[in-house]
């Protein structure tokens, strides 16, 4: 049964493959959509020239099955990568929370340090004033003693 009506049995093959005898303007499976991209007419590869249409179809299906297996493996790899990325994202969020906590503690410590430094300066100023009062009291006592004599 020849789908193209040719006596040599090749027009069905070319119709399936999109070869030069096809009336499908290059929309077959063999060109993978590349007809019109170059000026050369595509030739059927020697590895498939002796195949019948059912054999070519079986080869096509086995290639598709192999590609499906490859896509499944790729899908599994991508799924693992997604899981890893999710775990990494969770860890980054956790680390960011830790950094925020540390930043809050550092800010509070800095504020406390500034407050304590201010108190130390106040005490230091009061300490110097206290020295002056001691000198004044001692001089007052000396004056009182000198006046009483």
């Amino acid at each position: 049964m020849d789908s193209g009506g040719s006596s040599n049995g090749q027009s069905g093959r070319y119709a399936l493959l999109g070869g030069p005898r096809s009336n499908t303007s290059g929309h077959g499976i063999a060109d993978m959509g590349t007809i019109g991209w170059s000026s050369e007419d595509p030739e059927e590869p020697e590895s498939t020239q002796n195949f019948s249409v059912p054999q070519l179809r079986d080869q096509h299906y086995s290639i598709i099955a192999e590609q499906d297996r490859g896509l499944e493996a790729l899908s599994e790899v991508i799924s693992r990568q997604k899981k890893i990325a999710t775990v990494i994202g969770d860890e980054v969020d956790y680390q960011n929370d830790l950094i925020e906590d540390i930043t809050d503690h550092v800010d509070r410590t800095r504020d406390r340090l500034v407050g304590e430094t201010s108190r130390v300066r106040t005490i230091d100023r009061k300490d110097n004033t206290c020295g002056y009062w001691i000198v004044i009291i001692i001089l007052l006592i000396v004056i009182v003693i000198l006046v009483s004599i």
Side-chain angles (χ1 to χ4, degrees):
M1 256 196 213
D2 190 23
S3 63
S6 172
S7 62
N8 65 3
Q10 292 293 318
S11 66
R13 165 180 267 171
Y14 285 114
L16 177 66
L17 297 175
R21 293 186 192 166
S22 172
N23 292 332
T24 60
S25 302
H27 293 103
I29 60 171
D31 70 342
M32 298 301 204
T34 60
I35 295 293
W37 290 0
S38 88
S39 61
E40 302 174 6
D41 285 337
E43 294 291 324
E44 182 177 357
E46 288 184 24
S47 62
T48 61
Q49 284 181 356
N50 295 326
F51 286 9
S52 67
V53 172
Q55 288 173 325
L56 288 173
R57 191 175 302 126
D58 290 342
Q59 182 184 20
H60 173 74
Y61 289 141
S62 69
I63 290 171
I64 288 175
E66 184 178 335
Q67 288 175 346
D68 286 345
R69 287 189 298 273
L71 290 173
E72 279 296 320
L74 180 61
S75 174
E76 290 173 11
V77 168
I78 290 171
S79 294
R80 280 195 308 266
Q81 293 293 327
K82 180 182 176 187
K83 289 176 185 175
I84 291 170
T86 301
V87 168
I88 289 172
D90 292 344
E91 183 65 23
V92 166
D93 290 341
Y94 175 72
Q95 295 293 328
N96 283 338
D97 290 342
L98 287 177
I99 290 171
E100 287 176 13
D101 288 345
I102 291 171
T103 302
D104 291 343
H105 289 307
V106 167
D107 288 343
R108 281 185 293 212
T109 303
R110 181 184 46 84
D111 292 343
R112 287 177 44 206
L113 184 60
V114 167
E116 292 300 320
T117 303
S118 174
R119 286 188 201 107
V120 167
R121 285 186 184 145
T122 302
I123 291 171
D124 186 43
R125 270 188 263 127
K126 286 181 180 179
D127 186 40
N128 290 338
T129 306
C130 184
Y132 292 132
W133 282 107
I134 291 174
V135 170
I136 290 172
I137 291 174
I138 291 175
L139 286 174
L140 183 63
I141 293 174
V142 169
I143 291 174
V144 168
I145 292 177
L146 285 176
V147 170
S148 45
I149 306 188

PDB file of all heavy atoms in Angstrom, residues 104-140:
ATOM      1  N   ASP A 104      20.600  43.148  66.856  1.00  0.00           N
ATOM      2  CA  ASP A 104      19.812  43.734  67.947  1.00  0.00           C
ATOM      3  C   ASP A 104      20.610  43.736  69.249  1.00  0.00           C
ATOM      4  O   ASP A 104      20.629  44.738  69.977  1.00  0.00           O
ATOM      5  CB  ASP A 104      18.500  42.961  68.145  1.00  0.00           C
ATOM      6  CG  ASP A 104      17.539  43.163  66.990  1.00  0.00           C
ATOM      7  OD1 ASP A 104      17.728  44.119  66.213  1.00  0.00           O
ATOM      8  OD2 ASP A 104      16.596  42.341  66.865  1.00  0.00           O
ATOM      9  N   HIS A 105      21.276  42.620  69.550  1.00  0.00           N
ATOM     10  CA  HIS A 105      22.082  42.542  70.776  1.00  0.00           C
ATOM     11  C   HIS A 105      23.237  43.542  70.748  1.00  0.00           C
ATOM     12  O   HIS A 105      23.538  44.189  71.762  1.00  0.00           O
ATOM     13  CB  HIS A 105      22.613  41.127  71.001  1.00  0.00           C
ATOM     14  CG  HIS A 105      21.569  40.135  71.403  1.00  0.00           C
ATOM     15  ND1 HIS A 105      20.728  40.338  72.461  1.00  0.00           N
ATOM     16  CD2 HIS A 105      21.229  38.926  70.873  1.00  0.00           C
ATOM     17  CE1 HIS A 105      19.913  39.303  72.581  1.00  0.00           C
ATOM     18  NE2 HIS A 105      20.194  38.429  71.623  1.00  0.00           N
ATOM     19  N   VAL A 106      23.877  43.681  69.605  1.00  0.00           N
ATOM     20  CA  VAL A 106      24.990  44.631  69.482  1.00  0.00           C
ATOM     21  C   VAL A 106      24.476  46.059  69.675  1.00  0.00           C
ATOM     22  O   VAL A 106      25.122  46.871  70.353  1.00  0.00           O
ATOM     23  CB  VAL A 106      25.697  44.464  68.121  1.00  0.00           C
ATOM     24  CG1 VAL A 106      26.628  45.627  67.828  1.00  0.00           C
ATOM     25  CG2 VAL A 106      26.474  43.157  68.075  1.00  0.00           C
ATOM     26  N   ASP A 107      23.312  46.375  69.096  1.00  0.00           N
ATOM     27  CA  ASP A 107      22.740  47.716  69.261  1.00  0.00           C
ATOM     28  C   ASP A 107      22.429  48.009  70.727  1.00  0.00           C
ATOM     29  O   ASP A 107      22.739  49.097  71.234  1.00  0.00           O
ATOM     30  CB  ASP A 107      21.473  47.871  68.419  1.00  0.00           C
ATOM     31  CG  ASP A 107      21.758  47.969  66.932  1.00  0.00           C
ATOM     32  OD1 ASP A 107      22.916  48.243  66.567  1.00  0.00           O
ATOM     33  OD2 ASP A 107      20.806  47.757  66.138  1.00  0.00           O
ATOM     34  N   ARG A 108      21.830  47.036  71.416  1.00  0.00           N
ATOM     35  CA  ARG A 108      21.534  47.237  72.837  1.00  0.00           C
ATOM     36  C   ARG A 108      22.811  47.386  73.658  1.00  0.00           C
ATOM     37  O   ARG A 108      22.904  48.248  74.544  1.00  0.00           O
ATOM     38  CB  ARG A 108      20.700  46.081  73.384  1.00  0.00           C
ATOM     39  CG  ARG A 108      19.225  46.197  73.008  1.00  0.00           C
ATOM     40  CD  ARG A 108      18.464  45.118  73.680  1.00  0.00           C
ATOM     41  NE  ARG A 108      18.933  43.868  73.065  1.00  0.00           N
ATOM     42  CZ  ARG A 108      18.193  42.792  72.894  1.00  0.00           C
ATOM     43  NH1 ARG A 108      16.975  42.761  73.358  1.00  0.00           N
ATOM     44  NH2 ARG A 108      18.662  41.736  72.305  1.00  0.00           N
ATOM     45  N   THR A 109      23.824  46.590  73.345  1.00  0.00           N
ATOM     46  CA  THR A 109      25.097  46.677  74.056  1.00  0.00           C
ATOM     47  C   THR A 109      25.750  48.033  73.802  1.00  0.00           C
ATOM     48  O   THR A 109      26.291  48.656  74.725  1.00  0.00           O
ATOM     49  CB  THR A 109      26.033  45.535  73.631  1.00  0.00           C
ATOM     50  OG1 THR A 109      25.379  44.288  73.870  1.00  0.00           O
ATOM     51  CG2 THR A 109      27.348  45.576  74.376  1.00  0.00           C
ATOM     52  N   ARG A 110      25.696  48.501  72.552  1.00  0.00           N
ATOM     53  CA  ARG A 110      26.258  49.813  72.226  1.00  0.00           C
ATOM     54  C   ARG A 110      25.538  50.908  73.009  1.00  0.00           C
ATOM     55  O   ARG A 110      26.175  51.804  73.576  1.00  0.00           O
ATOM     56  CB  ARG A 110      26.148  50.080  70.730  1.00  0.00           C
ATOM     57  CG  ARG A 110      26.738  51.427  70.302  1.00  0.00           C
ATOM     58  CD  ARG A 110      26.534  51.697  68.816  1.00  0.00           C
ATOM     59  NE  ARG A 110      25.195  51.427  68.358  1.00  0.00           N
ATOM     60  CZ  ARG A 110      24.162  52.280  68.450  1.00  0.00           C
ATOM     61  NH1 ARG A 110      24.334  53.455  69.010  1.00  0.00           N
ATOM     62  NH2 ARG A 110      22.968  51.955  67.991  1.00  0.00           N
ATOM     63  N   ASP A 111      24.210  50.851  73.063  1.00  0.00           N
ATOM     64  CA  ASP A 111      23.439  51.844  73.815  1.00  0.00           C
ATOM     65  C   ASP A 111      23.810  51.818  75.301  1.00  0.00           C
ATOM     66  O   ASP A 111      23.959  52.877  75.932  1.00  0.00           O
ATOM     67  CB  ASP A 111      21.936  51.607  73.635  1.00  0.00           C
ATOM     68  CG  ASP A 111      21.458  51.886  72.215  1.00  0.00           C
ATOM     69  OD1 ASP A 111      22.201  52.555  71.461  1.00  0.00           O
ATOM     70  OD2 ASP A 111      20.359  51.414  71.855  1.00  0.00           O
ATOM     71  N   ARG A 112      23.941  50.619  75.857  1.00  0.00           N
ATOM     72  CA  ARG A 112      24.330  50.504  77.268  1.00  0.00           C
ATOM     73  C   ARG A 112      25.732  51.055  77.494  1.00  0.00           C
ATOM     74  O   ARG A 112      26.001  51.731  78.498  1.00  0.00           O
ATOM     75  CB  ARG A 112      24.252  49.055  77.730  1.00  0.00           C
ATOM     76  CG  ARG A 112      22.812  48.577  77.910  1.00  0.00           C
ATOM     77  CD  ARG A 112      22.682  47.130  78.297  1.00  0.00           C
ATOM     78  NE  ARG A 112      23.617  46.716  79.317  1.00  0.00           N
ATOM     79  CZ  ARG A 112      24.037  45.467  79.472  1.00  0.00           C
ATOM     80  NH1 ARG A 112      23.599  44.517  78.679  1.00  0.00           N
ATOM     81  NH2 ARG A 112      24.876  45.155  80.431  1.00  0.00           N
ATOM     82  N   LEU A 113      26.634  50.790  76.556  1.00  0.00           N
ATOM     83  CA  LEU A 113      28.009  51.276  76.669  1.00  0.00           C
ATOM     84  C   LEU A 113      28.049  52.805  76.617  1.00  0.00           C
ATOM     85  O   LEU A 113      28.776  53.437  77.396  1.00  0.00           O
ATOM     86  CB  LEU A 113      28.866  50.676  75.552  1.00  0.00           C
ATOM     87  CG  LEU A 113      30.354  50.987  75.566  1.00  0.00           C
ATOM     88  CD1 LEU A 113      30.990  50.476  76.852  1.00  0.00           C
ATOM     89  CD2 LEU A 113      31.024  50.363  74.366  1.00  0.00           C
ATOM     90  N   VAL A 114      27.262  53.401  75.738  1.00  0.00           N
ATOM     91  CA  VAL A 114      27.190  54.863  75.654  1.00  0.00           C
ATOM     92  C   VAL A 114      26.655  55.428  76.970  1.00  0.00           C
ATOM     93  O   VAL A 114      27.177  56.425  77.496  1.00  0.00           O
ATOM     94  CB  VAL A 114      26.320  55.304  74.451  1.00  0.00           C
ATOM     95  CG1 VAL A 114      25.966  56.776  74.527  1.00  0.00           C
ATOM     96  CG2 VAL A 114      27.039  55.000  73.139  1.00  0.00           C
ATOM     97  N   GLY A 115      25.616  54.816  77.532  1.00  0.00           N
ATOM     98  CA  GLY A 115      25.050  55.267  78.806  1.00  0.00           C
ATOM     99  C   GLY A 115      26.054  55.166  79.939  1.00  0.00           C
ATOM    100  O   GLY A 115      26.181  56.095  80.758  1.00  0.00           O
ATOM    101  N   GLU A 116      26.743  54.050  80.027  1.00  0.00           N
ATOM    102  CA  GLU A 116      27.737  53.870  81.089  1.00  0.00           C
ATOM    103  C   GLU A 116      28.894  54.841  80.926  1.00  0.00           C
ATOM    104  O   GLU A 116      29.417  55.369  81.913  1.00  0.00           O
ATOM    105  CB  GLU A 116      28.251  52.424  81.113  1.00  0.00           C
ATOM    106  CG  GLU A 116      27.221  51.410  81.543  1.00  0.00           C
ATOM    107  CD  GLU A 116      26.696  51.675  82.950  1.00  0.00           C
ATOM    108  OE1 GLU A 116      27.486  52.048  83.843  1.00  0.00           O
ATOM    109  OE2 GLU A 116      25.483  51.508  83.148  1.00  0.00           O
ATOM    110  N   THR A 117      29.318  55.096  79.699  1.00  0.00           N
ATOM    111  CA  THR A 117      30.388  56.066  79.459  1.00  0.00           C
ATOM    112  C   THR A 117      29.956  57.456  79.933  1.00  0.00           C
ATOM    113  O   THR A 117      30.748  58.193  80.539  1.00  0.00           O
ATOM    114  CB  THR A 117      30.761  56.094  77.960  1.00  0.00           C
ATOM    115  OG1 THR A 117      31.141  54.784  77.551  1.00  0.00           O
ATOM    116  CG2 THR A 117      31.889  57.062  77.684  1.00  0.00           C
ATOM    117  N   SER A 118      28.710  57.818  79.668  1.00  0.00           N
ATOM    118  CA  SER A 118      28.181  59.108  80.127  1.00  0.00           C
ATOM    119  C   SER A 118      28.200  59.188  81.653  1.00  0.00           C
ATOM    120  O   SER A 118      28.579  60.220  82.229  1.00  0.00           O
ATOM    121  CB  SER A 118      26.768  59.295  79.584  1.00  0.00           C
ATOM    122  OG  SER A 118      26.181  60.457  80.109  1.00  0.00           O
ATOM    123  N   ARG A 119      27.801  58.105  82.323  1.00  0.00           N
ATOM    124  CA  ARG A 119      27.820  58.089  83.798  1.00  0.00           C
ATOM    125  C   ARG A 119      29.243  58.214  84.343  1.00  0.00           C
ATOM    126  O   ARG A 119      29.480  58.913  85.332  1.00  0.00           O
ATOM    127  CB  ARG A 119      27.168  56.811  84.317  1.00  0.00           C
ATOM    128  CG  ARG A 119      25.674  56.818  84.170  1.00  0.00           C
ATOM    129  CD  ARG A 119      25.031  55.614  84.882  1.00  0.00           C
ATOM    130  NE  ARG A 119      23.718  55.395  84.305  1.00  0.00           N
ATOM    131  CZ  ARG A 119      23.385  54.402  83.503  1.00  0.00           C
ATOM    132  NH1 ARG A 119      24.275  53.482  83.211  1.00  0.00           N
ATOM    133  NH2 ARG A 119      22.179  54.311  83.015  1.00  0.00           N
ATOM    134  N   VAL A 120      30.182  57.547  83.706  1.00  0.00           N
ATOM    135  CA  VAL A 120      31.577  57.629  84.148  1.00  0.00           C
ATOM    136  C   VAL A 120      32.078  59.057  84.007  1.00  0.00           C
ATOM    137  O   VAL A 120      32.768  59.579  84.888  1.00  0.00           O
ATOM    138  CB  VAL A 120      32.463  56.637  83.363  1.00  0.00           C
ATOM    139  CG1 VAL A 120      33.939  56.922  83.567  1.00  0.00           C
ATOM    140  CG2 VAL A 120      32.132  55.214  83.757  1.00  0.00           C
ATOM    141  N   ARG A 121      31.731  59.729  82.926  1.00  0.00           N
ATOM    142  CA  ARG A 121      32.151  61.125  82.737  1.00  0.00           C
ATOM    143  C   ARG A 121      31.543  62.019  83.816  1.00  0.00           C
ATOM    144  O   ARG A 121      32.204  62.909  84.337  1.00  0.00           O
ATOM    145  CB  ARG A 121      31.743  61.607  81.347  1.00  0.00           C
ATOM    146  CG  ARG A 121      32.621  61.057  80.261  1.00  0.00           C
ATOM    147  CD  ARG A 121      32.301  61.650  78.915  1.00  0.00           C
ATOM    148  NE  ARG A 121      33.112  61.020  77.888  1.00  0.00           N
ATOM    149  CZ  ARG A 121      32.700  60.795  76.673  1.00  0.00           C
ATOM    150  NH1 ARG A 121      31.495  61.164  76.296  1.00  0.00           N
ATOM    151  NH2 ARG A 121      33.502  60.227  75.804  1.00  0.00           N
ATOM    152  N   THR A 122      30.268  61.771  84.143  1.00  0.00           N
ATOM    153  CA  THR A 122      29.604  62.560  85.186  1.00  0.00           C
ATOM    154  C   THR A 122      30.297  62.343  86.525  1.00  0.00           C
ATOM    155  O   THR A 122      30.578  63.302  87.258  1.00  0.00           O
ATOM    156  CB  THR A 122      28.112  62.164  85.280  1.00  0.00           C
ATOM    157  OG1 THR A 122      27.505  62.372  84.017  1.00  0.00           O
ATOM    158  CG2 THR A 122      27.393  62.984  86.324  1.00  0.00           C
ATOM    159  N   ILE A 123      30.599  61.122  86.862  1.00  0.00           N
ATOM    160  CA  ILE A 123      31.285  60.809  88.121  1.00  0.00           C
ATOM    161  C   ILE A 123      32.666  61.439  88.131  1.00  0.00           C
ATOM    162  O   ILE A 123      33.110  61.988  89.144  1.00  0.00           O
ATOM    163  CB  ILE A 123      31.355  59.285  88.345  1.00  0.00           C
ATOM    164  CG1 ILE A 123      29.962  58.738  88.618  1.00  0.00           C
ATOM    165  CG2 ILE A 123      32.318  58.941  89.461  1.00  0.00           C
ATOM    166  CD1 ILE A 123      29.891  57.230  88.646  1.00  0.00           C
ATOM    167  N   ASP A 124      33.337  61.405  86.989  1.00  0.00           N
ATOM    168  CA  ASP A 124      34.672  61.998  86.895  1.00  0.00           C
ATOM    169  C   ASP A 124      34.600  63.499  87.148  1.00  0.00           C
ATOM    170  O   ASP A 124      35.424  64.056  87.872  1.00  0.00           O
ATOM    171  CB  ASP A 124      35.273  61.698  85.522  1.00  0.00           C
ATOM    172  CG  ASP A 124      36.712  62.158  85.407  1.00  0.00           C
ATOM    173  OD1 ASP A 124      37.474  61.944  86.368  1.00  0.00           O
ATOM    174  OD2 ASP A 124      37.061  62.721  84.342  1.00  0.00           O
ATOM    175  N   ARG A 125      33.606  64.171  86.587  1.00  0.00           N
ATOM    176  CA  ARG A 125      33.433  65.609  86.817  1.00  0.00           C
ATOM    177  C   ARG A 125      33.109  65.875  88.283  1.00  0.00           C
ATOM    178  O   ARG A 125      33.632  66.813  88.879  1.00  0.00           O
ATOM    179  CB  ARG A 125      32.314  66.165  85.925  1.00  0.00           C
ATOM    180  CG  ARG A 125      32.836  66.634  84.591  1.00  0.00           C
ATOM    181  CD  ARG A 125      31.757  67.353  83.801  1.00  0.00           C
ATOM    182  NE  ARG A 125      31.183  66.356  82.872  1.00  0.00           N
ATOM    183  CZ  ARG A 125      29.898  66.072  82.770  1.00  0.00           C
ATOM    184  NH1 ARG A 125      29.018  66.707  83.484  1.00  0.00           N
ATOM    185  NH2 ARG A 125      29.483  65.163  81.935  1.00  0.00           N
ATOM    186  N   LYS A 126      32.230  65.056  88.853  1.00  0.00           N
ATOM    187  CA  LYS A 126      31.873  65.232  90.260  1.00  0.00           C
ATOM    188  C   LYS A 126      33.078  64.973  91.153  1.00  0.00           C
ATOM    189  O   LYS A 126      33.248  65.617  92.181  1.00  0.00           O
ATOM    190  CB  LYS A 126      30.725  64.305  90.656  1.00  0.00           C
ATOM    191  CG  LYS A 126      29.398  64.739  90.115  1.00  0.00           C
ATOM    192  CD  LYS A 126      28.315  63.803  90.558  1.00  0.00           C
ATOM    193  CE  LYS A 126      26.967  64.233  90.013  1.00  0.00           C
ATOM    194  NZ  LYS A 126      25.911  63.323  90.420  1.00  0.00           N
ATOM    195  N   ASP A 127      33.917  64.050  90.748  1.00  0.00           N
ATOM    196  CA  ASP A 127      35.105  63.734  91.532  1.00  0.00           C
ATOM    197  C   ASP A 127      36.037  64.940  91.568  1.00  0.00           C
ATOM    198  O   ASP A 127      36.594  65.266  92.611  1.00  0.00           O
ATOM    199  CB  ASP A 127      35.806  62.514  90.939  1.00  0.00           C
ATOM    200  CG  ASP A 127      36.964  62.033  91.793  1.00  0.00           C
ATOM    201  OD1 ASP A 127      36.813  62.043  93.027  1.00  0.00           O
ATOM    202  OD2 ASP A 127      37.990  61.651  91.211  1.00  0.00           O
ATOM    203  N   ASN A 128      36.215  65.609  90.470  1.00  0.00           N
ATOM    204  CA  ASN A 128      37.051  66.808  90.443  1.00  0.00           C
ATOM    205  C   ASN A 128      36.427  67.912  91.306  1.00  0.00           C
ATOM    206  O   ASN A 128      37.118  68.634  92.010  1.00  0.00           O
ATOM    207  CB  ASN A 128      37.243  67.307  89.013  1.00  0.00           C
ATOM    208  CG  ASN A 128      38.127  66.379  88.198  1.00  0.00           C
ATOM    209  OD1 ASN A 128      38.905  65.622  88.769  1.00  0.00           O
ATOM    210  ND2 ASN A 128      38.001  66.439  86.892  1.00  0.00           N
ATOM    211  N   THR A 129      35.130  68.096  91.288  1.00  0.00           N
ATOM    212  CA  THR A 129      34.433  69.091  92.096  1.00  0.00           C
ATOM    213  C   THR A 129      34.588  68.757  93.574  1.00  0.00           C
ATOM    214  O   THR A 129      34.775  69.650  94.413  1.00  0.00           O
ATOM    215  CB  THR A 129      32.942  69.138  91.718  1.00  0.00           C
ATOM    216  OG1 THR A 129      32.833  69.337  90.328  1.00  0.00           O
ATOM    217  CG2 THR A 129      32.220  70.237  92.430  1.00  0.00           C
ATOM    218  N   CYS A 130      34.512  67.501  93.909  1.00  0.00           N
ATOM    219  CA  CYS A 130      34.676  67.058  95.293  1.00  0.00           C
ATOM    220  C   CYS A 130      36.059  67.447  95.813  1.00  0.00           C
ATOM    221  O   CYS A 130      36.206  67.879  96.959  1.00  0.00           O
ATOM    222  CB  CYS A 130      34.453  65.556  95.369  1.00  0.00           C
ATOM    223  SG  CYS A 130      34.504  64.905  97.042  1.00  0.00           S
ATOM    224  N   GLY A 131      37.065  67.345  95.007  1.00  0.00           N
ATOM    225  CA  GLY A 131      38.418  67.734  95.397  1.00  0.00           C
ATOM    226  C   GLY A 131      38.480  69.218  95.731  1.00  0.00           C
ATOM    227  O   GLY A 131      39.139  69.622  96.694  1.00  0.00           O
ATOM    228  N   TYR A 132      37.807  70.022  94.929  1.00  0.00           N
ATOM    229  CA  TYR A 132      37.772  71.461  95.196  1.00  0.00           C
ATOM    230  C   TYR A 132      37.095  71.747  96.538  1.00  0.00           C
ATOM    231  O   TYR A 132      37.539  72.591  97.309  1.00  0.00           O
ATOM    232  CB  TYR A 132      37.050  72.222  94.084  1.00  0.00           C
ATOM    233  CG  TYR A 132      37.797  72.225  92.750  1.00  0.00           C
ATOM    234  CD1 TYR A 132      37.140  71.919  91.570  1.00  0.00           C
ATOM    235  CD2 TYR A 132      39.150  72.550  92.686  1.00  0.00           C
ATOM    236  CE1 TYR A 132      37.794  71.942  90.356  1.00  0.00           C
ATOM    237  CE2 TYR A 132      39.816  72.562  91.471  1.00  0.00           C
ATOM    238  CZ  TYR A 132      39.130  72.259  90.314  1.00  0.00           C
ATOM    239  OH  TYR A 132      39.790  72.270  89.129  1.00  0.00           O
ATOM    240  N   TRP A 133      35.994  71.036  96.839  1.00  0.00           N
ATOM    241  CA  TRP A 133      35.285  71.237  98.109  1.00  0.00           C
ATOM    242  C   TRP A 133      36.161  70.843  99.293  1.00  0.00           C
ATOM    243  O   TRP A 133      36.155  71.517 100.337  1.00  0.00           O
ATOM    244  CB  TRP A 133      33.965  70.450  98.146  1.00  0.00           C
ATOM    245  CG  TRP A 133      32.882  71.132  97.359  1.00  0.00           C
ATOM    246  CD1 TRP A 133      32.373  70.772  96.178  1.00  0.00           C
ATOM    247  CD2 TRP A 133      32.192  72.312  97.752  1.00  0.00           C
ATOM    248  NE1 TRP A 133      31.403  71.645  95.757  1.00  0.00           N
ATOM    249  CE2 TRP A 133      31.267  72.607  96.723  1.00  0.00           C
ATOM    250  CE3 TRP A 133      32.263  73.187  98.853  1.00  0.00           C
ATOM    251  CZ2 TRP A 133      30.426  73.714  96.764  1.00  0.00           C
ATOM    252  CZ3 TRP A 133      31.403  74.278  98.877  1.00  0.00           C
ATOM    253  CH2 TRP A 133      30.512  74.541  97.839  1.00  0.00           C
ATOM    254  N   ILE A 134      36.924  69.819  99.139  1.00  0.00           N
ATOM    255  CA  ILE A 134      37.819  69.394 100.221  1.00  0.00           C
ATOM    256  C   ILE A 134      38.867  70.482 100.483  1.00  0.00           C
ATOM    257  O   ILE A 134      39.163  70.835 101.631  1.00  0.00           O
ATOM    258  CB  ILE A 134      38.474  68.038  99.899  1.00  0.00           C
ATOM    259  CG1 ILE A 134      37.416  66.940  99.929  1.00  0.00           C
ATOM    260  CG2 ILE A 134      39.605  67.730 100.865  1.00  0.00           C
ATOM    261  CD1 ILE A 134      37.921  65.584  99.481  1.00  0.00           C
ATOM    262  N   VAL A 135      39.417  71.019  99.407  1.00  0.00           N
ATOM    263  CA  VAL A 135      40.414  72.092  99.546  1.00  0.00           C
ATOM    264  C   VAL A 135      39.772  73.307 100.207  1.00  0.00           C
ATOM    265  O   VAL A 135      40.376  73.937 101.106  1.00  0.00           O
ATOM    266  CB  VAL A 135      41.020  72.459  98.174  1.00  0.00           C
ATOM    267  CG1 VAL A 135      41.877  73.731  98.271  1.00  0.00           C
ATOM    268  CG2 VAL A 135      41.833  71.309  97.621  1.00  0.00           C
ATOM    269  N   ILE A 136      38.552  73.654  99.811  1.00  0.00           N
ATOM    270  CA  ILE A 136      37.859  74.808 100.399  1.00  0.00           C
ATOM    271  C   ILE A 136      37.614  74.579 101.884  1.00  0.00           C
ATOM    272  O   ILE A 136      37.843  75.480 102.718  1.00  0.00           O
ATOM    273  CB  ILE A 136      36.536  75.087  99.654  1.00  0.00           C
ATOM    274  CG1 ILE A 136      36.833  75.614  98.261  1.00  0.00           C
ATOM    275  CG2 ILE A 136      35.665  76.079 100.411  1.00  0.00           C
ATOM    276  CD1 ILE A 136      35.615  75.741  97.358  1.00  0.00           C
ATOM    277  N   ILE A 137      37.180  73.404 102.279  1.00  0.00           N
ATOM    278  CA  ILE A 137      36.897  73.097 103.688  1.00  0.00           C
ATOM    279  C   ILE A 137      38.199  73.148 104.499  1.00  0.00           C
ATOM    280  O   ILE A 137      38.238  73.697 105.597  1.00  0.00           O
ATOM    281  CB  ILE A 137      36.180  71.739 103.822  1.00  0.00           C
ATOM    282  CG1 ILE A 137      34.786  71.850 103.251  1.00  0.00           C
ATOM    283  CG2 ILE A 137      36.142  71.274 105.272  1.00  0.00           C
ATOM    284  CD1 ILE A 137      34.019  70.554 103.183  1.00  0.00           C
ATOM    285  N   ILE A 138      39.260  72.605 103.972  1.00  0.00           N
ATOM    286  CA  ILE A 138      40.542  72.628 104.678  1.00  0.00           C
ATOM    287  C   ILE A 138      41.014  74.081 104.875  1.00  0.00           C
ATOM    288  O   ILE A 138      41.458  74.470 105.952  1.00  0.00           O
ATOM    289  CB  ILE A 138      41.600  71.780 103.942  1.00  0.00           C
ATOM    290  CG1 ILE A 138      41.236  70.297 104.037  1.00  0.00           C
ATOM    291  CG2 ILE A 138      42.994  72.031 104.510  1.00  0.00           C
ATOM    292  CD1 ILE A 138      42.133  69.387 103.244  1.00  0.00           C
ATOM    293  N   LEU A 139      40.885  74.885 103.843  1.00  0.00           N
ATOM    294  CA  LEU A 139      41.276  76.286 103.956  1.00  0.00           C
ATOM    295  C   LEU A 139      40.403  77.020 104.972  1.00  0.00           C
ATOM    296  O   LEU A 139      40.882  77.867 105.728  1.00  0.00           O
ATOM    297  CB  LEU A 139      41.205  76.983 102.592  1.00  0.00           C
ATOM    298  CG  LEU A 139      42.321  76.622 101.610  1.00  0.00           C
ATOM    299  CD1 LEU A 139      42.056  77.255 100.253  1.00  0.00           C
ATOM    300  CD2 LEU A 139      43.678  77.034 102.129  1.00  0.00           C
ATOM    301  N   LEU A 140      39.118  76.689 104.993  1.00  0.00           N
ATOM    302  CA  LEU A 140      38.200  77.299 105.957  1.00  0.00           C
ATOM    303  C   LEU A 140      38.621  76.941 107.382  1.00  0.00           C
ATOM    304  O   LEU A 140      38.634  77.800 108.277  1.00  0.00           O
ATOM    305  CB  LEU A 140      36.761  76.861 105.661  1.00  0.00           C
ATOM    306  CG  LEU A 140      35.692  77.482 106.540  1.00  0.00           C
ATOM    307  CD1 LEU A 140      35.638  78.982 106.366  1.00  0.00           C
ATOM    308  CD2 LEU A 140      34.366  76.855 106.273  1.00  0.00           C
TER     309      LEU A 140
END
